[in-house]
């Protein structure tokens, strides 16, 4: 029986409104991986992430105090609440989300309590890519990336050396207020739980994830084209900026694909909103041309650095007063 289940992702907002997103599925719920799983168990866990079917036009409720909000899922099973006048203070908060529809006979309550981050008081917002920015992924090497995906899990995958220290320092900043992290990636929503587990296990700063359109057919994931569409990243970055119109941001990415060019376009359109851009130079053949992009970013009045080791970026951030 294809029992329905919910995924609701960490939401974010300001003192006036917040958004919370998720999906309704039929299929096998995902299980948390173990560090010493065999390659076969990791393979099965990955396939299970894609052996799901989304549920269109499902009714989902969000309950906040004595208020109840309702929304229908889109054709791809996706839903998004935008809640105004929420009266939540700064910080992380749990909200209650439930599936209203009974999709199978004898269905028990299908519900979750996802978290929402309400932020207004911080010095810099931090927007980071994931693959090959802090998570070693080999995105530009298709077969190597595929091998890692099929044989490793959230606890056996590795972050780049020094990146946890760097990101922790960025989050702490130089003021008492914590700087919030927004992880904006071209990884699909299917990998949300994997990424959350990875970041928790490796003690990455807690943050909000914004990922790419869900894939509900696992075979689609293995098509090379599934790694190439990054248009959504700019849209999601601009939306984050719009929620905090009086704050500056630091952008972090890598030179493997499109991050430098996306970030350059953001800098050109929002020159007063970006404090610095950091690009990890994972692909040696791209470093020279990305250096030119970094110079153009600097020409627009924004600090920029392409680096190979995390300690280089950390030292630069100290020199410009972003971290202690």
């Amino acid at each position: 029986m294809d029992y329905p289940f919910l995924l609701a992702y960490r939401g974010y907002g300001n003192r006036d409104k917040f958004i919370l997103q998720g999906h309704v599925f039929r299929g096998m719920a995902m299980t948390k991986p173990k560090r010493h799983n065999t390659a076969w168990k990791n393979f099965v866990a990955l396939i299970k992430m894609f052996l799901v079917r989304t549920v269109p036009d499902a009714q989902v409720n969000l309950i906040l105090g004595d208020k109840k909000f309702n929304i229908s899922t889109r054709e791809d099973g996706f839903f998004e609440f935008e809640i105004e006048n929420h009266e939540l203070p700064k910080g992380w908060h749990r909200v209650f989300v439930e599936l209203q529809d009974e999709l199978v006979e004898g269905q028990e309550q299908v519900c979750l309590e996802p978290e929402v981050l309400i932020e207004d008081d911080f010095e810099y917002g931090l927007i980071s890519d994931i693959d090959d920015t802090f998570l070693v992924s080999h995105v530009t090497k298709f077969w190597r990336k595929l091998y890692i995906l099929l044989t490793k899990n959230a606890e056996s995958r590795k972050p780049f050396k020094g990146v946890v220290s760097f990101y922790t320092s960025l989050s702490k900043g130089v003021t008492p207020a914590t700087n919030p992290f927004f992880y904006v990636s071209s990884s699909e929503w299917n990998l949300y739980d994997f990424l959350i587990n990875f970041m928790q296990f490796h003690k990455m700063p807690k943050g909000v994830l914004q990922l790419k359109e869900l894939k509900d057919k696992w075979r689609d994931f293995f098509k090379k084209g599934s790694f190439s569409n990054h248009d959504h990243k700019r849209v999601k970055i601009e939306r984050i900026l719009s929620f905090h119109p009086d704050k500056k941001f630091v952008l972090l990415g890598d030179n493997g694909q499109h991050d430098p060019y996306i970030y350059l376009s953001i800098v050109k359109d929002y020159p007063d909103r970006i404090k610095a851009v950091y690009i990890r130079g994972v692909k040696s053949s791209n470093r020279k041309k990305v250096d030119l992009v970094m110079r153009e970013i600097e020409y627009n009045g924004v600090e920029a650095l392409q680096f190979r080791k995390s300690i280089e970026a950390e030292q630069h951030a100290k020199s410009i007063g972003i971290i202690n």
Side-chain angles (χ1 to χ4, degrees):
M1 180 184 296
D2 281 347
Y3 201 83
F5 68 97
L6 277 169
L7 276 185
Y9 315 119
R10 290 173 182 167
Y12 69 91
N14 53 38
R15 66 169 61 92
D16 298 319
K17 66 179 178 179
F18 71 79
I19 62 171
L20 185 117
Q21 303 159 320
H23 283 90
V24 178
F25 300 103
R26 291 177 184 265
M28 296 181 289
M30 290 159 270
T31 55
K32 189 173 182 179
K34 296 179 180 179
R35 182 173 179 80
H36 299 294
N37 273 1
T38 64
W40 171 250
K41 286 185 178 180
N42 291 329
F43 173 77
V44 171
L46 178 70
I47 297 305
K48 283 179 69 175
M49 295 179 192
F50 297 88
L51 286 178
V52 292
R53 289 187 292 123
T54 56
V55 182
D57 299 319
Q59 298 299 307
V60 180
N61 297 328
L62 185 151
I63 299 174
L64 186 64
D66 59 355
K67 298 178 181 178
K68 186 175 183 178
F69 306 88
N70 177 267
I71 201 167
S72 297
T73 58
R74 301 186 320 203
E75 185 177 351
D76 60 356
F78 182 82
F79 64 85
E80 178 180 289
F81 288 96
E82 185 168 313
I83 307 298
E84 298 182 347
N85 304 315
H86 53 74
E87 299 181 351
L88 294 174
K90 168 184 164 66
W92 289 96
H93 302 276
R94 294 245 177 222
V95 298
F96 185 83
V97 178
E98 64 177 355
L99 176 63
Q100 179 177 301
D101 295 341
E102 182 175 337
L103 301 180
V104 297
E105 186 177 351
Q107 173 183 308
E108 297 179 356
Q109 185 180 33
V110 179
C111 60
L112 288 172
E113 291 188 356
E115 292 180 286
V116 175
L117 175 63
I118 304 300
E119 276 289 4
D120 268 317
D121 180 24
F122 58 89
E123 188 173 14
Y124 302 114
L126 306 161
I127 297 176
S128 175
D129 180 46
I130 295 177
D131 288 310
D132 285 334
T133 298
F134 67 78
L135 171 62
V136 179
S137 302
H138 304 289
V139 169
T140 60
K141 301 174 181 177
F142 178 80
W143 294 111
R144 192 167 183 183
K145 172 171 181 173
L146 195 56
Y147 171 78
I148 290 174
L149 281 169
L150 293 176
T151 60
K152 304 290 184 181
N153 62 44
E155 295 189 3
S156 56
R157 293 282 295 274
K158 299 293 184 183
F160 285 96
K161 183 178 180 181
V163 75
V164 176
S165 171
F166 178 38
Y167 276 42
T168 300
S169 296
L170 286 170
S171 182
K172 290 180 179 178
V174 296
T175 68
T178 299
N179 294 326
F181 257 101
F182 301 88
Y183 299 102
V184 181
S185 171
S186 289
S187 291
E188 292 81 2
W189 282 114
N190 304 70
L191 297 173
Y192 179 82
D193 276 354
F194 161 80
L195 293 170
I196 290 292
N197 291 333
F198 173 87
M199 288 189 280
Q200 289 176 340
F201 182 79
H202 293 284
K203 296 180 171 59
M204 297 288 296
K206 184 176 180 179
V208 174
L209 276 68
Q210 291 288 285
L211 306 180
K212 195 172 73 171
E213 180 182 353
L214 185 85
K215 292 193 178 300
D216 60 358
K217 295 180 180 178
W218 70 269
R219 63 182 177 271
D220 290 345
F221 184 77
F222 300 102
K223 295 178 181 178
K224 290 187 179 182
S226 68
F227 293 94
S228 61
N229 186 352
H230 301 266
D231 294 343
H232 81 104
K233 292 179 74 171
R234 180 185 169 94
V235 173
K236 288 181 169 64
I237 291 171
E238 289 183 315
R239 193 175 192 191
I240 293 167
L241 294 179
S242 73
F243 268 76
H244 305 287
D246 60 339
K247 300 296 183 182
K248 287 195 172 186
F249 284 77
V250 176
L251 307 180
L252 303 108
D254 65 87
N255 75 349
Q257 294 182 308
H258 301 290
D259 288 346
Y261 308 98
I262 294 171
Y263 292 172
L264 173 60
S265 69
I266 294 289
V267 165
K268 286 183 174 180
D269 289 344
Y270 305 92
D272 299 328
R273 303 293 313 283
I274 308 303
K275 173 65 177 179
V277 174
Y278 291 102
I279 297 293
R280 185 180 296 278
V282 293
K283 190 171 183 179
S284 57
S285 60
N286 284 350
R287 287 177 192 146
K288 286 187 178 180
K289 61 183 179 183
V290 170
D291 274 337
L292 297 177
V293 177
M294 296 291 99
R295 290 179 195 171
E296 190 169 357
I297 290 173
E298 289 178 325
Y299 179 77
N300 283 269
V302 175
E303 297 283 351
L305 177 71
Q306 182 176 203
F307 65 94
R308 298 184 66 181
K309 297 181 179 180
S310 300
I311 188 64
E312 300 169 31
E314 190 165 1
Q315 290 172 344
H316 182 275
K318 288 179 181 178
S319 73
I320 63 174
I322 294 177
I323 62 178
N324 285 323

